[in-house]
Each structure stands twice: as structure tokens, then as C-alpha cells.
Amino acid sequence: MTQLYCYPMCYCPPNSNAARQIHTIPSFAIYPSSIRQYPEVDPTLLEQSAKSMQKLMKEASLVLNKLADSKDFATKVMSAAQQSNKQEVDKLIQSTGIKSKVNTTFSPDGINMKLSSAIGGAECCYLTIALRWL
């Protein structure tokens, strides 16, 4: 916030006490936004993240197709989850052919699968699939 004395250019009535008071106004009212300096954009990481996300979506399709097309596979996943056997659930999900890191969580209502990808050792993107079974 910036303090300014009220002069005739302000909206204070002339010859009023307000004309002699200090008014606090936001800084953006003084400096137009066109003066702000923004760094140059570099879309490299965004492009890499988008490409990684495309791969994650293809892998998500593998998992979803397997669950949708194989009642036996879906039964195995649900049974392992019901027994709180996270290792078996993860193994089953990985058996669909996905290469990405996957973290599964489940509850009596359904399963969540978080597929993630990294660029240069840092997580760049992830895709969460939430499916209900109850």
C-alpha cells in the first residue's frame, strides 16, 4: 500500500478536511500493469511434461482396457484389495504392461491408481484414475 496526500486530482471535495488527509491506496493503482517485467517463457519443460502425459494416458488405457475386458482380472484386483494386499494389487496393475510408476490405494468403495512420470529425476506429471466398485 502507498500513502498519498489528497490533492485536487483526487476525488475529495474541494476545501474539505479529506483534501488534507493522507489516503492509503493499493500500489497497483499507481503503477499500471504494463510496466511489470515478466521473464521470458521457456516451454521446454511444459512440452516434455505433455509428452510424458501422453505416455501415461496410453498406459492408463492399457489398465482400463484390461479391467473392462477381463472379468477374471477385475475379480483378482478386487479380491487382493479386499484382503488389503497392496503388493498383489500393484503386481496385477503392473502386469497390464505399464512401465510407469504406479501407486495404488483402495477402500471398500473402489480403487485409485496414480501413474506418474519424471523428467530429470523430478516428478513432472501424474495421472490419477479413480474407479468405484461399490
Side-chain angles (χ1 to χ4, degrees), residues 54-100:
Q54 288 175 326
K55 291 177 186 175
L56 291 179
M57 292 179 70
K58 286 178 184 176
E59 291 191 344
S61 289
L62 289 173
V63 174
L64 294 173
N65 287 340
K66 185 75 172 185
L67 287 167
D69 298 339
S70 173
K71 191 169 191 164
D72 181 56
F73 180 76
T75 301
K76 287 178 183 177
V77 170
M78 286 181 69
S79 295
Q82 186 177 23
Q83 296 167 22
S84 297
N85 189 344
K86 182 173 171 31
Q87 187 175 359
E88 181 64 17
V89 172
D90 289 343
K91 185 179 121 191
L92 287 165
I93 299 302
Q94 289 287 343
S95 75
T96 61
I98 65 172
K99 304 284 186 248
S100 300

Coordinates of all heavy atoms in Angstrom, one line a residue, residues 54-100:
Q54 N 1.1 -37.9 -22.4 CA 0.6 -38.7 -23.4 C 0.9 -40.2 -23.2 O 0.1 -41.1 -23.4 CB 1.1 -38.3 -24.8 CG 0.6 -37.0 -25.3 CD 1.2 -36.5 -26.5 OE1 2.4 -36.7 -26.8 NE2 0.5 -35.8 -27.4
K55 N 2.1 -40.5 -22.7 CA 2.5 -41.9 -22.5 C 1.7 -42.4 -21.3 O 1.3 -43.6 -21.3 CB 4.0 -41.9 -22.1 CG 4.9 -41.7 -23.3 CD 6.4 -41.7 -22.9 CE 7.3 -41.3 -24.1 NZ 8.7 -41.2 -23.7
L56 N 1.5 -41.6 -20.3 CA 0.7 -42.0 -19.1 C -0.7 -42.3 -19.5 O -1.3 -43.3 -19.0 CB 0.7 -41.0 -18.0 CG 2.0 -40.7 -17.3 CD1 1.8 -39.6 -16.2 CD2 2.5 -42.0 -16.6
M57 N -1.3 -41.6 -20.4 CA -2.6 -41.8 -20.9 C -2.7 -43.1 -21.7 O -3.7 -43.8 -21.5 CB -3.1 -40.6 -21.7 CG -3.3 -39.4 -20.8 SD -3.9 -37.9 -21.7 CE -5.6 -38.4 -22.0
K58 N -1.7 -43.4 -22.5 CA -1.7 -44.7 -23.2 C -1.6 -45.9 -22.2 O -2.3 -46.9 -22.4 CB -0.5 -44.7 -24.2 CG -0.7 -43.9 -25.4 CD 0.5 -43.9 -26.3 CE 0.3 -43.0 -27.5 NZ 1.5 -42.9 -28.3
E59 N -0.8 -45.7 -21.2 CA -0.7 -46.7 -20.2 C -2.0 -46.9 -19.4 O -2.4 -48.0 -19.0 CB 0.5 -46.5 -19.3 CG 1.8 -46.7 -20.0 CD 3.0 -46.7 -19.2 OE1 3.0 -46.3 -18.0 OE2 4.1 -47.2 -19.7
A60 N -2.6 -45.8 -19.1 CA -3.9 -45.8 -18.4 C -4.9 -46.6 -19.2 O -5.7 -47.3 -18.7 CB -4.4 -44.4 -18.1
S61 N -4.9 -46.4 -20.5 CA -5.8 -47.2 -21.4 C -5.5 -48.7 -21.3 O -6.5 -49.4 -21.3 CB -5.6 -46.7 -22.8 OG -6.1 -45.4 -23.0
L62 N -4.2 -49.1 -21.2 CA -3.9 -50.5 -21.0 C -4.6 -51.0 -19.8 O -5.2 -52.1 -19.8 CB -2.4 -50.7 -20.9 CG -1.6 -50.5 -22.1 CD1 -0.1 -50.6 -21.8 CD2 -1.9 -51.5 -23.2
V63 N -4.5 -50.3 -18.7 CA -5.1 -50.8 -17.4 C -6.6 -50.8 -17.5 O -7.2 -51.8 -17.1 CB -4.6 -49.9 -16.2 CG1 -5.4 -50.3 -14.9 CG2 -3.1 -49.9 -16.0
L64 N -7.2 -49.8 -18.0 CA -8.6 -49.7 -18.1 C -9.2 -50.7 -19.1 O -10.2 -51.3 -18.8 CB -9.1 -48.3 -18.6 CG -8.8 -47.2 -17.5 CD1 -9.1 -45.8 -18.1 CD2 -9.5 -47.4 -16.2
N65 N -8.5 -51.0 -20.2 CA -9.0 -52.0 -21.1 C -8.9 -53.4 -20.5 O -9.9 -54.2 -20.6 CB -8.1 -52.0 -22.4 CG -8.4 -50.8 -23.3 OD1 -9.4 -50.2 -23.2 ND2 -7.4 -50.5 -24.1
K66 N -7.9 -53.6 -19.7 CA -7.8 -54.9 -19.0 C -8.9 -55.1 -18.0 O -9.5 -56.2 -17.9 CB -6.4 -55.1 -18.4 CG -6.1 -56.4 -17.8 CD -5.9 -57.5 -18.8 CE -5.4 -58.7 -18.1 NZ -5.0 -59.8 -19.1
L67 N -9.1 -54.1 -17.2 CA -10.2 -54.1 -16.2 C -11.6 -54.2 -16.9 O -12.5 -55.0 -16.4 CB -10.2 -52.9 -15.3 CG -9.0 -52.9 -14.3 CD1 -8.9 -51.5 -13.7 CD2 -9.2 -53.9 -13.2
A68 N -11.8 -53.6 -18.0 CA -13.1 -53.6 -18.6 C -13.3 -54.9 -19.4 O -14.5 -55.3 -19.5 CB -13.2 -52.4 -19.6
D69 N -12.3 -55.5 -20.0 CA -12.4 -56.6 -20.8 C -12.2 -58.0 -20.2 O -12.5 -59.0 -20.8 CB -11.5 -56.5 -22.0 CG -11.7 -55.3 -22.9 OD1 -12.9 -54.8 -22.8 OD2 -10.8 -54.8 -23.6
S70 N -11.7 -58.0 -18.9 CA -11.4 -59.3 -18.3 C -12.0 -59.3 -16.9 O -11.5 -58.7 -16.0 CB -9.9 -59.5 -18.2 OG -9.6 -60.6 -17.4
K71 N -13.2 -60.0 -16.8 CA -13.8 -60.1 -15.5 C -12.9 -60.9 -14.5 O -12.9 -60.5 -13.3 CB -15.2 -60.9 -15.7 CG -16.0 -60.8 -14.5 CD -17.4 -61.3 -14.8 CE -18.4 -61.0 -13.7 NZ -19.8 -61.1 -14.0
D72 N -12.2 -61.8 -15.0 CA -11.2 -62.6 -14.2 C -10.2 -61.6 -13.6 O -9.9 -61.7 -12.4 CB -10.6 -63.7 -15.0 CG -9.6 -64.5 -14.1 OD1 -10.0 -65.0 -13.1 OD2 -8.4 -64.6 -14.5
F73 N -9.6 -60.7 -14.4 CA -8.6 -59.8 -13.9 C -9.2 -58.8 -12.9 O -8.6 -58.6 -11.8 CB -8.0 -59.0 -15.1 CG -7.0 -58.0 -14.7 CD1 -5.7 -58.5 -14.3 CD2 -7.2 -56.7 -14.7 CE1 -4.7 -57.5 -13.9 CE2 -6.3 -55.7 -14.3 CZ -5.0 -56.2 -13.9
A74 N -10.4 -58.3 -13.2 CA -11.1 -57.4 -12.3 C -11.4 -58.0 -11.0 O -11.2 -57.4 -9.9 CB -12.4 -56.8 -12.9
T75 N -11.8 -59.3 -11.0 CA -12.0 -60.1 -9.8 C -10.8 -60.2 -8.9 O -10.8 -60.1 -7.7 CB -12.6 -61.4 -10.1 OG1 -13.8 -61.3 -10.9 CG2 -12.9 -62.3 -8.9
K76 N -9.6 -60.5 -9.6 CA -8.4 -60.7 -8.9 C -8.0 -59.4 -8.2 O -7.5 -59.4 -7.1 CB -7.3 -61.1 -9.8 CG -7.4 -62.6 -10.3 CD -6.3 -62.9 -11.2 CE -6.5 -64.4 -11.7 NZ -5.4 -64.7 -12.7
V77 N -8.1 -58.3 -8.9 CA -7.8 -56.9 -8.3 C -8.6 -56.6 -7.1 O -8.1 -56.3 -6.1 CB -7.9 -55.8 -9.4 CG1 -7.7 -54.4 -8.8 CG2 -6.8 -56.0 -10.5
M78 N -9.9 -56.8 -7.3 CA -10.9 -56.6 -6.2 C -10.6 -57.5 -5.0 O -10.6 -57.0 -3.8 CB -12.3 -56.7 -6.6 CG -12.8 -55.6 -7.5 SD -14.5 -55.8 -8.0 CE -15.4 -55.6 -6.4
S79 N -10.3 -58.8 -5.2 CA -10.1 -59.7 -4.2 C -8.8 -59.3 -3.4 O -8.8 -59.4 -2.2 CB -9.9 -61.1 -4.7 OG -11.2 -61.5 -5.3
A80 N -7.7 -59.0 -4.1 CA -6.5 -58.6 -3.5 C -6.7 -57.3 -2.6 O -6.2 -57.2 -1.5 CB -5.4 -58.4 -4.5
A81 N -7.5 -56.4 -3.2 CA -7.7 -55.2 -2.4 C -8.5 -55.4 -1.2 O -8.3 -54.9 -0.1 CB -8.4 -54.2 -3.3
Q82 N -9.5 -56.3 -1.3 CA -10.4 -56.7 -0.2 C -9.5 -57.3 1.0 O -9.8 -57.1 2.1 CB -11.5 -57.6 -0.6 CG -12.5 -57.9 0.5 CD -13.6 -58.9 0.0 OE1 -13.4 -59.6 -1.0 NE2 -14.7 -58.8 0.6
Q83 N -8.5 -58.0 0.6 CA -7.6 -58.6 1.6 C -6.5 -57.6 2.0 O -5.5 -58.0 2.7 CB -7.0 -59.9 1.0 CG -8.0 -61.0 0.7 CD -7.4 -62.1 -0.2 OE1 -6.2 -62.3 -0.2 NE2 -8.3 -62.8 -0.9
S84 N -6.5 -56.4 1.5 CA -5.5 -55.3 1.8 C -4.1 -55.8 1.4 O -3.1 -55.4 2.0 CB -5.5 -55.0 3.3 OG -6.7 -54.4 3.7
N85 N -4.1 -56.5 0.3 CA -2.8 -57.0 -0.3 C -2.3 -56.0 -1.3 O -2.5 -56.3 -2.5 CB -3.0 -58.4 -0.8 CG -1.7 -59.0 -1.2 OD1 -0.7 -58.4 -1.3 ND2 -1.7 -60.4 -1.4
K86 N -1.8 -54.9 -0.9 CA -1.3 -53.8 -1.8 C -0.3 -54.4 -2.8 O -0.3 -54.0 -4.0 CB -0.8 -52.7 -1.0 CG -0.4 -51.5 -1.9 CD 0.0 -50.3 -1.1 CE 0.6 -49.2 -1.8 NZ 0.3 -48.9 -3.2
Q87 N 0.6 -55.2 -2.3 CA 1.7 -55.7 -3.2 C 1.1 -56.5 -4.3 O 1.5 -56.4 -5.5 CB 2.6 -56.6 -2.3 CG 3.8 -57.1 -3.1 CD 4.8 -57.9 -2.2 OE1 4.6 -58.1 -1.0 NE2 5.9 -58.4 -2.8
E88 N 0.1 -57.3 -4.1 CA -0.6 -58.1 -5.2 C -1.4 -57.2 -6.1 O -1.3 -57.4 -7.3 CB -1.5 -59.1 -4.5 CG -2.2 -60.0 -5.6 CD -1.3 -60.9 -6.4 OE1 -0.1 -61.1 -6.1 OE2 -1.7 -61.4 -7.5
V89 N -2.0 -56.1 -5.5 CA -2.8 -55.2 -6.4 C -1.8 -54.5 -7.3 O -2.0 -54.4 -8.5 CB -3.6 -54.2 -5.6 CG1 -4.2 -53.1 -6.4 CG2 -4.7 -54.9 -4.8
D90 N -0.7 -54.0 -6.8 CA 0.3 -53.3 -7.6 C 0.9 -54.3 -8.7 O 1.1 -53.9 -9.8 CB 1.5 -52.8 -6.7 CG 1.1 -51.6 -5.9 OD1 0.0 -51.0 -6.2 OD2 1.8 -51.3 -4.9
K91 N 1.2 -55.5 -8.3 CA 1.7 -56.5 -9.2 C 0.7 -56.7 -10.4 O 1.1 -56.8 -11.6 CB 2.0 -57.8 -8.5 CG 2.6 -58.9 -9.4 CD 2.9 -60.1 -8.6 CE 2.2 -61.2 -9.3 NZ 2.1 -62.5 -8.6
L92 N -0.6 -56.9 -10.0 CA -1.6 -57.1 -11.1 C -1.7 -55.9 -12.0 O -1.8 -56.0 -13.2 CB -3.0 -57.3 -10.4 CG -3.1 -58.7 -9.7 CD1 -4.4 -58.7 -8.8 CD2 -3.3 -59.8 -10.8
I93 N -1.7 -54.7 -11.5 CA -1.7 -53.5 -12.3 C -0.5 -53.4 -13.2 O -0.6 -53.1 -14.4 CB -1.9 -52.2 -11.4 CG1 -3.1 -52.2 -10.6 CG2 -1.8 -50.9 -12.3 CD1 -4.4 -52.4 -11.3
Q94 N 0.7 -53.7 -12.7 CA 1.9 -53.7 -13.5 C 1.8 -54.8 -14.6 O 2.4 -54.6 -15.6 CB 3.1 -53.9 -12.6 CG 3.5 -52.7 -11.7 CD 4.0 -51.5 -12.5 OE1 4.5 -51.6 -13.6 NE2 4.0 -50.4 -11.8
S95 N 1.1 -55.9 -14.3 CA 1.1 -57.0 -15.3 C 0.3 -56.6 -16.6 O 0.4 -57.3 -17.5 CB 0.4 -58.2 -14.6 OG -1.0 -58.0 -14.5
T96 N -0.3 -55.4 -16.6 CA -1.0 -55.0 -17.8 C -0.1 -54.5 -18.8 O -0.5 -54.2 -20.0 CB -2.1 -53.9 -17.4 OG1 -1.4 -52.8 -16.9 CG2 -3.1 -54.4 -16.5
G97 N 1.2 -54.3 -18.5 CA 2.2 -53.9 -19.4 C 2.7 -52.4 -19.2 O 3.4 -51.9 -20.0
I98 N 2.2 -51.8 -18.2 CA 2.6 -50.4 -18.0 C 4.0 -50.4 -17.5 O 4.5 -51.3 -16.8 CB 1.7 -49.6 -17.0 CG1 1.7 -50.2 -15.6 CG2 0.3 -49.6 -17.6 CD1 0.9 -49.4 -14.6
K99 N 4.7 -49.3 -17.8 CA 6.1 -49.1 -17.4 C 6.3 -48.0 -16.4 O 7.3 -47.9 -15.7 CB 7.0 -48.7 -18.6 CG 6.9 -49.7 -19.8 CD 7.7 -51.0 -19.5 CE 7.7 -51.9 -20.7 NZ 7.0 -53.1 -20.5
S100 N 5.3 -47.2 -16.3 CA 5.3 -46.0 -15.3 C 5.2 -46.5 -13.9 O 4.7 -47.6 -13.6 CB 4.2 -45.1 -15.6 OG 4.3 -44.6 -16.9

